[in-house]
Amino acid sequence: MNNPVFNRLILLQFIAWRNIWRNPIRSGLTISALAGGLIMLILYAALLEGMSRQMVTYATDISSSHLQMHRSAYIDNQDIYATLPWSYLTAFEDSSLPVKIAPRLYAAALASSKDNSTGVMIKAIDPQREHHVTKLLSHLRSGEASFEPKQKNALTHYPVLVGAQLARNLQLSPGSELVLVTQAIDGSIGNAIFEVTGVLKPLEPNFDRMGVLMSIKAYQSLMYQEDGFHELAIKAQNIDELNTLQKQLQTQITHLQKQTPLDELGGKVIIRNWKELNPPVADMLELSGTMLLIVGLIVIGLASLGMINTMLMSVHERTHEFGTLLAIGMKARWILLMVVIESFYLALISAVIGSIIGSVIAKQFEDKGIDFSHMMPDGYDWAGVVFEPVMKGYLIPEQVFQASLLMILLTMLAALIPSWRIVRLKPAEVI
């Protein structure tokens, strides 16, 4: 192309490329600093994304599922009489809504083992439906998730699963017997002997310390409660459409209430998504994007100080050279552009190296994670949710591109500070 401006740009790019390798050690150190900052930012973004996904998984897949339905009296006071009728469960299963559902019942009781006793929280599930909405029954530490009753000494022993901390407190293990005493729904004293068939891994602090998991059939036998259920766990096919699904479920509830009115004492039916059930986790996820931007600006900003130092030294050493170019008629803006192109090349090389190394390391975190099991064998709890002691990353290519672009923009802005000195040079003074 015979365009003088284009030809001059090509020439400036060639000179700029040669200039950055006039001092390879200094350029190498600058590239290392920028690439190191980008690697740190990519790893931080991957770990933050992995942690966020673990939060969503543990907040939904293990125990709560995506949505839950209760009566308001149960939410406010754990009123065991605030139930939803079984006809509602059938109606939801027969509807065309893209959901899987599972009913649950709750009660408080006194549990006694051979050597100790304590207060417990009973959670009753339908094992056939539960595995469609959560992974609760596969979250076992020992034993098996069997709920088939057994006959011993002419008595029916229903199986139960217990929380990890409760098993330690009562010295329970698979095969142990557990006696539960509670006030049944009709006011009588309900009591029965149960067989512990499994111990669950840590789910949430309260359930680990007090949780007893049984089948709805066992619950009905203990509590004489057959009229309904307290909670409906709902799993959506697409978690991104929860708001739409929540409105559809509310419409369905309004329609069902016209057909089968509910008593007023239990209050209205409330449907909550997992963000409303666990606000701290939802708030943390919303903050993660802002945290990533702030940390990115700090890390890349500190790394860009190396770029400022490099360009200051480069401009200072080449003052006479720039003065000569100005004296023979080269415009200051072209010299300024040449120095900016040098900065761009340094930033671009750093971005390529940093993104490749950072992505490779982040992929290792995605596959193996960082294992803290030697420090926290039972995991750690945060916002009422227990997480496994293995922190895994999750690499999103768009975040790598955005981090690289952020680094290039910041370093280019940083390079303008020393480059601006060229505009103020006076050839007669510097030659």
Side-chain angles (χ1 to χ4, degrees):
M1 183 177 291
N2 196 20
N3 186 319
V5 176
F6 179 78
N7 292 336
R8 188 171 294 177
L9 284 174
I10 296 294
L11 179 63
L12 287 178
Q13 291 180 47
F14 174 74
I15 296 173
W17 178 258
R18 294 290 299 272
N19 282 338
I20 64 174
W21 300 116
R22 289 166 69 176
N23 194 327
I25 295 178
R26 188 167 62 201
S27 297
L29 290 174
T30 304
I31 292 171
S32 300
L34 291 173
L38 183 59
I39 291 170
M40 295 297 295
L41 183 57
I42 291 173
L43 293 181
Y44 177 75
L47 289 174
L48 191 61
E49 183 64 26
M51 186 177 176
S52 299
R53 288 174 180 265
Q54 277 186 306
M55 285 182 181
V56 175
T57 298
Y58 278 86
T60 59
D61 286 2
I62 303 300
S63 178
S64 69
S65 200
H66 296 158
L67 295 156
Q68 287 186 359
M69 184 185 299
H70 303 88
R71 303 286 298 277
S72 59
Y74 184 79
I75 295 174
D76 295 337
N77 303 313
Q78 284 73 52
D79 183 354
I80 61 173
Y81 297 97
T83 58
L84 290 159
W86 291 107
S87 60
Y88 279 37
L89 177 68
T90 306
F92 280 119
E93 287 184 326
D94 293 341
S95 71
S96 58
L97 293 175
V99 296
K100 298 291 185 182
I101 57 177
R104 295 168 177 172
L105 287 151
Y106 294 91
L110 176 67
S112 300
S113 64
K114 185 178 179 180
D115 301 316
N116 210 342
S117 63
T118 185
V120 297
M121 177 182 65
I122 297 172
K123 180 175 184 176
I125 60 167
D126 180 341
Q128 301 302 320
R129 291 187 175 96
E130 186 66 30
H131 77 272
H132 290 301
V133 298
T134 67
K135 298 177 181 176
L136 178 61
L137 298 181
S138 61
H139 203 64
L140 283 171
R141 168 168 288 176
S142 61
E144 58 179 354
S146 171
F147 292 96
E148 287 297 322
K150 298 177 181 177
Q151 294 292 330
K152 291 184 179 178
N153 301 323
L155 293 175
T156 301
H157 287 209
Y158 286 99
V160 295
L161 307 180
V162 296
Q165 186 62 45
L166 179 63
R168 280 195 290 270
N169 293 343
L170 297 184
Q171 299 180 353
L172 298 172
S173 60
S176 301
E177 288 188 344
L178 182 70
V179 177
L180 294 179
V181 179
T182 183
Q183 184 175 4
I185 200 75
D186 61 356
S188 63
I189 300 299
N191 64 88
I193 300 175
F194 296 84
E195 179 181 343
V196 177
T197 56
V199 178
L200 292 162
K201 292 179 182 177
L203 295 172
E204 54 190 61
N206 286 336
F207 190 86
D208 295 339
R209 190 174 62 255
M210 304 171 63
V212 175
L213 189 69
M214 64 174 63
S215 67
I216 287 179
K217 189 175 181 180
Y219 180 95
Q220 290 173 335
S221 175
L222 177 69
M223 298 292 297
Y224 302 106
Q225 165 63 295
E226 297 183 355
D227 294 337
F229 54 92
H230 296 130
E231 178 180 290
L232 189 66
I234 304 165
K235 184 171 185 177
Q237 288 184 359
N238 187 352
I239 194 173
D240 296 328
E241 298 178 355
L242 281 188
N243 291 335
T244 302
L245 181 60
Q246 203 167 346
K247 293 177 182 175
Q248 292 175 332
L249 288 166
Q250 195 62 57
T251 303
Q252 182 87 355
I253 283 292
T254 304
H255 179 67
L256 288 173
Q257 282 185 294
K258 290 180 180 176
Q259 294 181 337
T260 309
L262 301 173
D263 64 88
E264 295 182 358
L265 294 177
K268 61 183 179 180
V269 180
I270 297 177
I271 304 170
R272 295 177 295 172
N273 59 43
W274 70 268
K275 293 181 180 178
E276 295 168 307
L277 292 167
N278 204 328
V281 174
D283 293 343
M284 180 65 188
L285 293 179
E286 288 186 3
L287 279 174
S288 62
T290 305
M291 289 172 58
L292 181 60
L293 178 60
I294 293 174
V295 172
L297 289 173
I298 293 174
V299 172
I300 299 299
L302 291 174
S304 298
L305 294 177
M307 174 67 82
I308 294 177
N309 179 62
T310 299
M311 298 313 298
L312 276 173
M313 294 295 295
S314 177
V315 170
H316 178 73
E317 290 174 354
R318 293 151 62 190
T319 301
H320 292 286
E321 177 184 323
F322 293 147
T324 303
L325 291 173
L326 291 171
I328 62 178
M330 191 172 184
K331 300 294 184 184
R333 61 176 179 272
W334 288 108
I335 300 176
L336 175 65
L337 179 60
M338 180 180 68
V339 175
V340 170
I341 292 174
E342 292 176 21
S343 306
F344 174 74
Y345 279 144
L346 286 172
L348 185 63
I349 295 170
S350 305
V352 172
I353 295 174
S355 59
I356 292 174
I357 297 176
S359 299
V360 170
I361 299 175
K363 272 292 181 186
Q364 295 298 314
F365 286 157
E366 188 174 323
D367 296 335
K368 301 178 181 177
I370 304 174
D371 192 353
F372 295 105
S373 57
H374 62 289
M375 300 168 59
M376 300 175 290
D378 287 335
Y380 61 98
D381 68 276
W382 187 83
V385 180
V386 177
F387 298 89
E388 283 188 347
V390 180
M391 182 183 292
K392 290 193 174 182
Y394 189 88
L395 182 66
I396 298 180
E398 287 82 2
Q399 288 184 339
V400 177
F401 174 76
Q402 291 168 359
S404 302
L405 186 61
L406 176 66
M407 190 204 71
I408 292 175
L409 290 176
L410 285 181
T411 50
M412 292 290 291
L413 288 174
L416 285 176
I417 298 173
S419 302
W420 189 250
R421 293 182 56 189
I422 299 170
V423 179
R424 301 165 58 188
L425 288 178
K426 295 180 179 178
E429 295 178 359
V430 297
I431 294 179

